[in-house]
DNA sequence: TAGATTGTTAATCGATTAACAATC
DNA sequence: TAGATTGTTAATCGATTAACAATC
C-alpha cells in the first residue's frame, strides 16, 4: 500500500479552498503576487502553515516577492482536481437535496450535477434548479451510460444503502454521503460522509457552559 | 482567562454524539452495562480513546463490569446540555432552512425551534414543518421577549451579517451559522460555523488521485 | 482467586509553530 | 548591499495510543 508519497493532511486539504477564494478576490484588485504572511493575516493562519499547505500543490514561489497569484490559483485548482469537470448525479430531491442542487458554483469545484433522482412519482419529470428529476430505477443504467463519477446521496437514512448499491452497480467512483449512516462499499469506491450538524455538539458544549455560570 | 479547567478537545466533543446514539440503541436490547472495548469495536475507535472521551462527562465506571448504560446516557446528555431545552429560531426559509427545520430530533439535542423568519412577504404566515414563518423585522423583539438562546442562520451570505446584528440586538447567546461568511459579533456571543460542503475538498483530492492513475 | 476492566501515566504520532539558512 | 520572503529543518504542542497499576 505504501508508495512513498505521504498523504496530504486533511486539515491542509480543508484549508486550501479558503486560500483559493481569497486569491480569487485578490486577483480582482489587480494584484499580481502575494506572500504567505498576507494570506495568513487575512485568514488568521500562521504564515508557515500557509507556506506548507501551498507546497502540497507543487507551487514554487520567489524569495522576497512571494507567489504569482495566477499560478497559485491554477496550482490549487489543479491539485484539488477543480480544473476538470466530473459529471455527478444527486439522489433524493427533498429539501436537503434541493438545497445542494441550488448551489450555483459546483462547476468551479470540478463538479457538474447532470441529473437528479427520486422515488416519488409526483416529482419525476420536474425540473429543480435546472436539473430534471428522473426515477430512481434508472440510476444504475444512467451512471453507466453517462460515465458518472460522483453520486451525491441526500435520501433519508433508511434508503441510503440501497441507493449506494445501485450507484456502485452502475460503476460510480465516489460517493458524497449526506445521510447519517455508514455505507458499505467495495474498497475501491471513495466514500466521503458529510455531517450537516457536525459542529453542533461544540455549540452545545459552549452554550451549556455559559448557561451553567448564570 | 485561564481558570484551571482544561477545555474538552473538539475531536472528543464530535465523537460524544455517536457514543450516545449507540448507547440508545444498546439500551433497547435490554443491556444494562457496556465496556469501552464494546463501544470501540462498534464505532471503530480505540477503547482507550473511548474511555478518555467518556471521562470528560464525569462518568465513573466499575472495574471488570463497565459503565451503567442509563447513567452513561444521562452523563453525556447532561454534559452536552441536551437534557435542557434551549429555545431557538431559524432565519432564512430557503431550501437549506427548510431542510434544517425538517430535522425531527432537535428536542433530543437540547434545542427547540420555536419560529422561523424570512424577508419574502409571500412566505410570511406560512407554516413549514410546523413552524410559522414571521417577518424578519420582528426578530430582535422576538428574541428578547421569548428569551431565545440560539439563532440558526440559513440566509444567503450577503444577508448573514445583518441578521446576526439583529439577533445580537435582541440578546441572543449563540449563533449557528450555515452561511459561508465570517460573522462579527461581540466577544461574549458564541458563533459556530457549519460548512455544508466541508469534506468536499477531501473527496476532490481522492477522486483526482484515482482519475490521474487511470 | 483469577481475570477483565477501569483509571492513569507514559510513549507515540501527527500537525502546528519556531528557527534559520538560502535567495532574490 | 540589505532585507524580505521562500524553503527546510527542528521544536513544540495536542491528540491518540500503549502500558500498567488498581480494583472489583
Amino acid at each position: 500500500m505504501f508508495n512513498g508519497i505521504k498523504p496530504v493532511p486533511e486539515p491542509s486539504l480543508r484549508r486550501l479552498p479558503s486560500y483559493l477564494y481569497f486569491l480569487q478576490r485578490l486577483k480582482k484588485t489587480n494584484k499580481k503576487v502575494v506572500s504567505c504572511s498576507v494570506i495568513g493575516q487575512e485568514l488568521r493562519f500562521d504564515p508557515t502553515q500557509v507556506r506548507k499547505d501551498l507546497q502540497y500543490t507543487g507551487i514554487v514561489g520567489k524569495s522576497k516577492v512571494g507567489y504569482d497569484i495566477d499560478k497559485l490559483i491554477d496550482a490549487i485548482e489543479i491539485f484539488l482536481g477543480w480544473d476538470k469537470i466530473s459529471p455527478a448525479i444527486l439522489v433524493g430531491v427533498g429539501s436537503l437535496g434541493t438545497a445542494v442542487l441550488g448551489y450555483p458554483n459546483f462547476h468551479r469545484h470540478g463538479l457538474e450535477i447532470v441529473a437528479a433522482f427520486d422515488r416519488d412519482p409526483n416529482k419525476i419529470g420536474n425540473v429543480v434548479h435546472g436539473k430534471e428529476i428522473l426515477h430512481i430505477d434508472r440510476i444504475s443504467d444512467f451512471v453507466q451510460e453517462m460515465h458518472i463519477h460522483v453520486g451525491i446521496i441526500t435520501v433519508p437514512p433508511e434508503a441510503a444503502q440501497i441507493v449506494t448499491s445501485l450507484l456502485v452497480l452502475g460503476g460510480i467512483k465516489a460517493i458524497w454521503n449526506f445521510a447519517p449512516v455508514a455505507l458499505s462499499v467495495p474498497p475501491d469506491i471513495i466514500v466521503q460522509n458529510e455531517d450537516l450538524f457536525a459542529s453542533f455538539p461544540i455549540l452545545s458544549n459552549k452554550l451549556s457552559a455559559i448557561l451553567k455560570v448564570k
Side-chain angles (χ1 to χ4, degrees), chain A:
Chain A
M1 173 63 216
F2 182 68
N3 57 6
I5 298 165
K6 271 193 193 163
V8 178
E10 284 203 5
S12 298
L13 289 174
R14 290 180 194 275
R15 283 188 296 265
L16 281 172
S18 58
Y19 300 141
L20 183 62
Y21 305 145
F22 173 58
L23 292 166
Q24 285 163 343
R25 273 187 284 141
L26 210 60
K27 186 179 154 77
K28 285 186 191 148
T29 67
N30 289 317
K31 290 243 170 47
K32 296 298 169 204
V33 291
V34 66
S35 73
C36 291
S37 35
V38 168
I39 298 175
Q41 223 154 13
E42 173 70 20
L43 303 175
R44 308 271 149 175
F45 295 143
D46 184 282
T48 307
Q49 184 174 65
V50 174
R51 198 168 305 123
K52 226 163 199 180
D53 287 343
L54 295 180
Q55 275 171 351
Y56 291 118
T57 69
I59 191 77
V60 174
K62 269 210 184 83
S63 291
K64 206 189 163 177
V65 178
Y67 300 92
D68 182 282
I69 292 177
D70 285 329
K71 274 202 222 166
L72 191 45
I73 288 175
D74 287 351
I76 297 173
E77 286 182 340
I78 291 169
F79 181 75
L80 291 172
W82 290 1
D83 59 321
K84 298 209 189 77
I85 306 290
S86 285
I89 58 169
L90 180 140
V91 192
V93 193
S95 45
L96 178 58
T98 303
V100 174
L101 279 180
Y103 180 65
N105 294 324
F106 276 126
H107 66 280
R108 285 204 265 148
H109 295 76
L111 221 56
E112 192 197 349
I113 303 181
V114 296
F117 291 80
D118 205 286
R119 118 186 124 174
D120 181 352
N122 296 316
K123 290 181 183 169
I124 309 304
N126 291 357
V127 174
V128 174
H129 292 298
K131 319 295 177 194
E132 196 184 350
I133 304 179
L134 308 175
H135 193 274
I136 210 162
D137 284 349
R138 294 170 58 187
I139 284 188
S140 294
D141 288 345
F142 192 94
V143 168
Q144 189 161 38
E145 284 161 24
M146 304 293 282
H147 301 96
I148 302 297
H149 290 170
V150 179
I152 305 170
I153 295 186
T154 49
V155 299
E158 318 83 71
Q161 183 58 56
I162 305 159
V163 165
T164 300
S165 304
L166 293 171
L167 290 170
V168 169
L169 199 66
I172 205 87
K173 296 179 196 301
I175 290 173
W176 191 10
N177 175 36
F178 285 78
V181 286
L183 303 177
S184 53
V185 293
D188 58 322
I189 310 288
I190 298 162
V191 174
Q192 192 64 45
N193 295 305
E194 192 76 68
D195 179 359
L196 192 55
F197 299 154
S199 68
F200 180 66
I202 297 160
L203 184 142
S204 295
N205 180 254
K206 289 180 187 164
L207 184 63
S208 78
I210 64 162
L211 291 176
K212 256 173 223 151
V213 168
K214 190 198 60 172

